[in-house]
Amino acid sequence: MSDETIRLSRQELHDRVWSKPLWKLGPEMGFSGRGLAKLCARCGVPVPQRGYWEKLRFGKAPQR
């Protein structure tokens, strides 16, 4: 893992969090999925609810 710092605006973080599951995105950003969720909570960035990605996968309209 590199020691490179990633800087994102709140909107960029929001867009990334809603683009893929936290457990996949976290390691890409140097966090665990839970660590990324905690960072989002501190920054006031909402994250998808449990089951969001499965509902999306099966064509159901998940709530945001």
Side-chain angles (χ1 to χ4, degrees):
M1 185 168 14
S2 106
D3 290 335
E4 187 175 322
T5 300
I6 299 173
R7 293 189 183 268
L8 299 173
S9 69
R10 185 177 178 278
Q11 183 61 49
E12 289 169 327
L13 179 59
H14 179 277
D15 292 344
R16 283 195 184 189
V17 165
W18 287 90
S19 70
K20 64 174 67 172
L22 294 180
W23 66 270
K24 285 186 179 179
L25 183 61
E28 292 175 14
M29 298 177 71
F31 295 96
S32 66
R34 184 69 194 129
L36 182 55
K38 288 179 179 183
L39 174 67
C40 289
R42 280 195 303 264
C43 295
V45 174
V47 297
Q49 294 294 318
R50 183 175 216 154
Y52 174 85
W53 298 105
E54 282 299 303
K55 288 178 183 176
L56 199 61
R57 188 175 131 205
F58 287 103
K60 295 192 177 194
Q63 294 180 347
R64 274 192 131 192

